[in-house]
Every structure is written in C-alpha cells, then in structure tokens.
Amino acid sequence: MTLFDIIGPVMIGPSSSHTAGAVRLGLMARNVLGCQPEKADIYLHGSFRCTYRGHGTDRALVGGLLGYPTDDTRIRDSFRHAADSNLQYRFIPADLGDVHPNTVKFELTGQGRQCTVVGCSVGGGAVEVTNINGYKVKLTGELPALVVPHIDRAGYIAKVSGILGAEEINIAAMHVGRNQRGGTALMIIETDQMIDSVLLQVIDRIPGVSGSFVIAPL
Amino acid sequence: MEIKNLVQLSELAEKDGLSLGRAAIRLEAAEQQVTEEEIERELIRRAEIMKRSVATGLEGMKTASGLVGDQGRRMRGYLGQTKCLASPLYAKAMAYALAANECNAGMGVIVAAPTAGASGVLPALVCAMEEEMSVTGTKLAEALAAAGAVGAVIARNASLSGAEGGCQAECGSAAAMAAAAAVEMLGGSREQALQAAAMALQGMLGLVCDPVAGLVEIPCVHRNAGAVTQALMAADMAMAGVTFAIPVDEVIEVMGKIGRVLPVALRETALGGLAASPTGRAIAERVLGKDSQC
Ligand code: SF4
C-alpha cells in the first residue's frame, strides 16, 4: 500500500467498486480481445445486476471497453462515444452462479476476433479476471500476462519458460489450467517485462501451441 | 507506507525531529525510491484535483436520485448570513464537503481519499484552510501525508470499506485523517495530531452504512459534511490541549472490531438503516425501477 492508494485513486465517481472497478474490468476485457470491440454482450451478476444504473456501472464498463482510464470524464457519456466508435453493446441481467457479488461476463467480438472474459470488482477499484474463454484464471491486471493455449501434454511449460528466460524476461506468476472439454490446456504467465510481437510469434510457433496472445497490464 | 501503527510513526518522526506528515513523506520517498519533492509534487497535484472537485460540485450536479446535487451550493449561499451559527471556516468546510461529495455522486472527477464515498471530507478541509488560513504548498503536502498515514494505519488495523466496517470506516476514517491534517496545517505537535485523530474517530464510532437505493448519495453527501465538522472540532480541541484518554491506535482497532459485529444489513447492502425507511424504499423503487431484477 502506498500513500497514494489512501490519498487516491483519482477517479470518476461515485463508487470505487461499482465505477472505477467496472472501468478496469472493461479495460481488461478489451486487452484480452486485443483491439477495440465492435460488439459486446455484457452479463451483470449480483450487486452489479441490481444497481448498475445508479452507480454508472454500465457507463463505466462501456468506458473501459473504449479504452478510457478510470479518471476519464468521457466515461459519463460513454454510450454516446460507443455509438461514435461503432461499438454495439447490450446489458443482460444474469445469474453467473456462485461467484463474487460484483461479477460481470463479457462476450466480445472485433476485427474478426472473439473472446469471453469473466471478472469481478473486489473493492477499492481492484479487479480480478477469473475466466478467459472458458479457462479458469486469476489475473489482476498489474502485470502483462502471456496466454498460451497448448496441447495438454508434458513439456510445454519448460519450452515456454526456456524461451522467456533466454530473453531475460522474468516470470512473476504462472497458472496452468485444463479445459474440461479435454485436449487443450491454457498456460498463463505474468511477467515483469512486456513481451513483444516477435517473441510472441516464436512462442506461437512451438508445435502444439496456437493462438497465443499477450494481455497488456492496466 | 509500511508502518504498524501511529505510535510507531510518531516515534520515527520524533527521532528526526519531524512532523507526522514530513515523516510520512520521507518514508514514502524511501519506499518508492524517489525524492521527497516528487512525493510532495504528487500530493499537491492531488490537492488541486480535490479543489476542482469542490468547484465542480458547487456548480451543481445531476445525480441518479436527483435528491442531491445542489446542497453544497445552498450551504455556500448561506455563508456570511448573520444567522449562520458556524464560523466562516466551519461553514465553508460544510459547503465544500457537500459539494465535493456531490461531484462524486454526479460522476465527476474525485480523489478517493480514502474512498469515493468519503471523498468530500479532505477536499473541504483543504479548500477551507487554504482560503481562511492561507495554507498552501509544502504545508498542504505535509498535511495530506499525515492524513494518508492515518488512513494507511486504519486500512491495516481496521478497514476503510463501508461494506466491511460501516460508514465509521469511510466517513469516520476520513474525519480522523482530516483531523490529523488540520493539526499539521496549524503547526500543532505530533501528539496533538494523534489526539485529534483519536477524538474525531471516537465521535464516529458505530456509524452504519445505509445508502438509499445503494447509491452513494443519501446519506453520504450529508455525512461528509458531518465528518469534516467532526474533524474540525477534534483539531480545535487538540490544539486547545483537550485530551482523550484512549490512544488513537486503540480507537482504530475498536473501530475495526465494531465493524465486524455490525449486522450485514448495515454494511452497504442497502437492506437496513435509512435505506430501509419507508421514504428510502420509495426512492429506491423510483430510481431503480420495479424491474431492477433483484
Ligand atoms: S453511508 Fe456507506 S456508501 Fe455512504 S459514505 Fe458512508 S460508507 Fe460510503
């Protein structure tokens, strides 16, 4: 905790969990897609579903999808800006199961890509992404994250971490999950340094790996 | 800001003959490996944003309920009236706290110090003290640092969240922070700053979080005005040599303990307190609609 976590953050009101956290969740989902979304289905659960209009959670989520930081005054009019940016969105009240009360699920498409992202606002503006494309994850957006889908067989962790090590990229945290449908697994590696597109291609060319991407930090 | 409690910070400060705020700036600079001037500059930048939140609120805000938005402006219009009971500084602080928290309610830019719900208290103090007592620059930065240190200890040993600890954790903490900041601005001693924080927080103990319709509007806006006057009273008492028997670190722990035994209905769920009053419920139904899916 720093002094500036207490005398701050600087943000658009009215609520750190329902406004600032919502902006950050939108930003994270945008970063997972890796581009400006064109279409967004936004499922709201729990307290988000109950109070999203009053707290501006809806405008904050859309503001995040548009790439606005938490203190950007455009958040107030994000619906209008979304129309200008060709972002179509809809809000769908939902029961997402036994999850944090402030949980949202995004289904995004844009530039031919698509992704599903579930995340929650855990308080004070902090967020946690809990699921990406059906895989359980745990990401806070503090560090860049490398996402590597691969065949569920031995040896992939060593190969990827070897490539990162050779480039002097330090691994801060690592998470490996298996898709229930079987066959593929997802490796998520949070790194201290950014991973550029050249390195990403090297990793994606490992046989059995495909569709790797990097989630930029918030 | 890795300090265990406020006595520890006070002892650190005493060793180097520093005020609480200056000691906090020095600690923070060392931790972040930057100069003290850089910390000061960022604190002053945040003070400027606080001042803007007051000014924005005073212009009037559109909020979700429509039931707050010009309260700060009304109070400011009353300044200088012969019947106004408060001194100019107190009256300004009330007006500014209402206004800055209305800026928050209307989706304006605010500094969440320590939280968005309690974001009117420190800006009110900063503006009122600047205008009435000419506090600026370094002194302002030190005051905010002292406030930040109090907040950091509360975050560590109790809570700053209404959902966890009720409004005593939000507006109560902001009052304690502002009380210490006010003493720092007035050049009081370290001990007086801690006494002021203790007196402000004890006056807010037990305060529940019961936002109508779950919005950060009613009672939040008015509570911010109450909290800043609580802070000013505590600072005045501490400067006058009034003492409070329970040390601030203990008051903080007590606040945390009270928070843990508060019923869930009184911790930001909008199920109890003013939120559950007949009028509160009617407002909720009007604002959120019967189709609020809950
Ligand atoms: S009543 Fe609750 S929401 Fe309002 S300021 Fe207090 S703690 Fe925050």
Side-chain angles (χ1 to χ4, degrees):
Chain A
M1 186 196 326
T2 85
L3 209 48
F4 300 111
D5 294 330
I6 305 291
I7 307 297
V10 179
M11 56 172 271
I12 298 288
S15 160
S16 50
S17 55
H18 286 65
T19 318
V23 175
R24 290 164 63 92
L25 284 167
L27 280 168
M28 278 298 272
R30 175 192 170 97
N31 289 354
V32 172
L33 187 66
C35 65
Q36 164 85 39
E38 286 149 17
K39 201 167 155 282
D41 283 347
I42 305 169
Y43 298 83
L44 299 163
H45 170 93
S47 170
F48 269 11
R49 154 173 154 171
C50 295
T51 59
Y52 70 94
R53 286 196 201 97
H55 283 118
T57 306
D58 45 3
R59 285 178 273 173
L61 291 165
V62 168
L65 290 176
L66 291 170
Y68 301 162
T70 51
D71 62 348
D72 193 319
T73 49
R74 287 176 297 178
I75 290 167
R76 268 195 303 252
D77 308 311
S78 66
F79 293 167
R80 188 165 55 76
H81 295 296
D84 296 344
S85 311
N86 290 321
L87 164 61
Q88 275 179 40
Y89 56 85
R90 26 177 212 160
F91 293 99
I92 305 155
D95 182 352
L96 298 175
D98 186 17
V99 291
H100 190 282
N102 299 331
T103 296
V104 58
K105 178 168 106 178
F106 299 91
E107 287 173 358
L108 304 182
T109 51
Q111 292 182 14
R113 307 178 208 188
Q114 57 183 54
C115 71
T116 307
V117 178
V118 182
C120 52
S121 175
V122 295
V127 299
E128 215 174 87
V129 169
T130 55
N131 195 299
I132 294 177
N133 299 336
Y135 293 95
K136 273 205 187 111
V137 301
K138 195 175 171 192
L139 288 176
T140 59
E142 264 156 53
L143 294 171
L146 169 67
V147 182
V148 185
H150 60 92
I151 297 174
D152 191 12
R153 242 182 265 137
Y156 284 97
I157 294 176
K159 277 183 202 153
V160 174
S161 60
I163 292 171
L164 294 178
E167 294 295 320
E168 308 232 347
I169 288 177
N170 190 41
I171 296 178
M174 182 158 199
H175 181 93
V176 187
R178 216 192 283 249
N179 188 334
Q180 273 90 343
R181 281 167 291 194
T184 53
L186 195 77
M187 189 184 328
I188 301 212
I189 302 174
E190 287 181 284
T191 56
D192 287 333
Q193 293 82 17
M194 214 33 212
I195 292 167
D196 62 24
S197 57
V198 181
L199 189 58
L200 184 62
Q201 273 180 24
V202 173
I203 290 165
D204 211 47
R205 259 187 246 121
I206 301 172
V209 168
S210 96
S212 317
F213 59 96
V214 174
I215 307 171
L218 291 175
Chain B
M1 187 84 324
E2 294 307 324
I3 41 167
K4 282 213 275 300
N5 52 42
L6 288 169
V7 166
Q8 189 196 17
L9 178 66
S10 179
E11 284 168 2
L12 273 174
E14 192 180 352
K15 250 195 295 169
D16 298 331
L18 305 174
S19 71
L20 279 190
R22 178 48 59 183
I25 290 176
R26 191 162 289 181
L27 267 181
E28 185 71 17
E31 272 168 33
Q32 292 194 24
Q33 302 183 326
V34 297
T35 63
E36 289 180 39
E37 290 71 43
E38 279 173 88
I39 302 291
E40 266 175 52
R41 228 177 294 133
E42 179 59 22
L43 285 168
I44 290 171
R45 188 182 78 86
R46 293 193 181 202
E48 290 302 321
I49 300 170
M50 288 183 181
K51 286 196 255 172
R52 242 176 288 143
S53 71
V54 169
T56 305
L58 286 173
E59 284 165 22
M61 301 298 290
K62 221 177 125 287
T63 66
S65 74
L67 299 172
V68 293
D70 70 340
Q71 310 294 320
R73 204 160 50 175
R74 289 187 199 187
M75 188 64 217
R76 196 192 44 184
Y78 191 59
L79 296 181
Q81 300 281 318
T82 47
K83 285 187 184 165
C84 181
L85 301 173
S87 77
L89 187 140
Y90 271 65
K92 274 188 174 174
M94 282 188 253
Y96 296 165
L98 293 167
N101 207 243
E102 285 176 308
C103 173
N104 179 62
M107 293 187 84
V109 181
I110 55 104
V111 183
T115 63
S119 61
V121 181
L122 274 167
L125 179 81
V126 164
C127 287
M129 290 295 278
E130 185 178 276
E131 290 170 20
E132 295 293 317
M133 298 291 215
S134 311
V135 176
T136 53
T138 305
K139 204 71 242 156
L140 193 58
E142 286 171 351
L144 285 182
V150 172
V153 169
I154 296 176
R156 183 192 156 103
N157 297 339
S159 169
L160 292 173
S161 136
E164 258 167 35
C167 201
Q168 52 164 9
E170 291 205 22
C171 285
S173 299
M177 291 162 64
V183 170
E184 180 97 18
M185 288 173 178
L186 294 168
S189 69
R190 290 179 292 267
E191 187 47 35
Q192 283 169 319
L194 297 190
Q195 283 280 319
M199 285 191 270
L201 188 55
Q202 67 76 27
M204 307 289 276
L205 285 179
L207 191 59
V208 302
C209 170
D210 50 355
V212 168
L215 303 173
V216 193
E217 298 190 17
I218 306 159
C220 318
V221 167
H222 298 74
R223 269 198 194 147
N224 274 260
V228 76
T229 53
Q230 184 81 1
L232 293 173
M233 289 189 313
D236 266 346
M237 285 195 278
M239 292 300 285
V242 173
T243 54
F244 188 67
I246 315 292
V248 63
D249 285 315
E250 290 184 38
V251 179
I252 289 171
E253 292 206 6
V254 164
M255 189 272 272
K257 281 192 185 135
I258 293 174
R260 286 192 286 279
V261 299
L262 279 182
V264 135
L266 300 174
R267 284 192 275 128
E268 215 181 271
T269 50
L271 295 170
L274 293 169
S277 64
T279 304
R281 283 188 209 275
I283 294 168
E285 199 172 294
R286 177 174 61 73
V287 176
L288 302 176
K290 284 196 187 110
D291 63 329
S292 76
Q293 313 274 351
C294 297

